Amino acid sequence: MPLPPTDANTRFGGFSGIEVSPDGQRFWAISDRGALAEGKLLRNSAGRLTGVTVDSHQRLNDPDNIPTSGVETDSEGLARSPDGRLYVSFEGYHRIWTYRPEGGEAAWFPRHPDFKKMQANSSLEALAIDQDGALYTLPERSGSYGTPFPVYRYGNEGWQVIGHIPREGEWLPVGADFDDRGQLYLLWRHFTGYGFSSRVTRHALQGDDWSGETVYQTRPLTHGNLEGLSLWRNASGTLKAVLVTDDNFRAIQRSELVEITLPE
């Protein structure tokens, strides 16, 4: 489903992270130019996603309550706690900021020492929060084809690497979320040279090797550059995933929302 056209003045588009309310009715999405959009997901009588309305769209503020600019703007990952607090991960200057439900200035979130050493434009794209309130993230690139992706968890003992996910060729993790049963889902992308392929994997958090199973995969050009993932369960108990594309503010790319049903 296409999103409203990109507007260079308001920076609408370039969405890299998304969160959906537990009832599938509202969404929050961040762009890689430091903006946050909030609105409603429109559905027909059968619950099928038919459109969106945008209630607000504004720049994220920095810790001084000033709109982000320059190297601070590349927001990529988004996680929302049950109390409405938002967590946003950034590339360029690798970090996580957090915001109160009503918005306002950013607050710094502690950084793991590894964050400083991550590759430019390839760091904290995937961000998720579990039912216990712990935050999870992993880098977009692992450093080499033979190196697995470390999974970082922030809980009562601070940041810890608690698992590794094997790398498979050109597939790169760009989005993450937990379902209501504590399983981690990752959104991956693969640029084939003429279009993007996407897949979603499910991971049971056991031991150090978090090899997952693929529950959804597309051929190149099925969708645009899918980068954000959020899960919700409908009244019938069906697990749904809402995904959003990053159009990079380019006319040749698509800005769209995609909703899929996930097997269990």
Side-chain angles (χ1 to χ4, degrees), residues 30-216:
I30 53 163
S31 81
D32 53 18
R33 292 190 183 178
L36 172 69
E38 180 179 351
K40 300 180 182 69
L41 299 175
L42 306 179
R43 300 181 179 280
N44 61 19
S45 59
R48 182 182 177 87
L49 184 63
T50 58
V52 301
T53 60
V54 178
D55 297 333
S56 66
H57 182 244
Q58 57 191 354
R59 296 278 295 282
L60 294 167
N61 288 340
D62 67 15
D64 294 321
N65 211 25
I66 298 171
T68 56
S69 62
V71 71
E72 291 185 339
T73 61
D74 195 359
S75 49
E76 295 287 347
L78 180 66
R80 184 175 181 269
S81 65
D83 65 2
R85 177 171 284 275
L86 295 177
Y87 298 84
V88 181
S89 61
F90 294 80
E91 289 187 327
Y93 181 18
H94 314 310
R95 70 198 188 279
I96 296 171
W97 281 350
T98 181
Y99 295 87
R100 297 185 300 271
E102 65 271 19
E105 74 276 10
W108 276 96
F109 202 77
R111 289 196 294 170
H112 190 284
D114 290 355
F115 293 176
K116 297 179 181 179
K117 300 179 289 184
M118 290 180 178
Q119 292 177 246
N121 199 37
S122 298
S123 61
L124 307 177
E125 288 226 7
L127 193 64
I129 191 167
D130 69 11
Q131 292 175 306
D132 296 325
L135 204 63
Y136 292 70
T137 189
L138 68 162
E140 182 186 2
R141 293 185 183 272
S142 61
S144 69
Y145 289 124
T147 302
F149 298 93
V151 180
Y152 298 87
R153 179 184 186 272
Y154 187 89
N156 294 332
E157 298 179 358
W159 284 110
Q160 293 181 315
V161 176
I162 61 169
H164 290 81
I165 295 176
R167 180 163 177 172
E168 297 183 19
E170 298 290 343
W171 287 103
L172 303 176
V174 292
D177 200 8
F178 282 90
D179 68 9
D180 54 355
R181 298 173 183 173
Q183 297 183 106
L184 177 67
Y185 288 72
L186 293 178
L187 170 64
W188 305 75
R189 70 173 170 196
H190 174 206
F191 182 63
T192 64
Y194 62 92
F196 290 94
S197 291
S198 302
R199 74 177 182 183
V200 176
T201 56
R202 178 170 55 218
H203 304 261
L205 312 186
Q206 299 175 352
D208 180 73
D209 183 352
W210 288 9
S211 299
E213 60 175 324
T214 299
V215 294
Y216 177 76

Side-chain angles (χ1 to χ4, degrees), residues 235-253:
S236 301
T238 302
L239 186 63
K240 299 285 188 175
V242 177
L243 307 105
V244 68
T245 62
D246 178 1
D247 66 356
N248 292 302
F249 298 93
R250 296 175 179 171
I252 61 172
Q253 291 185 254

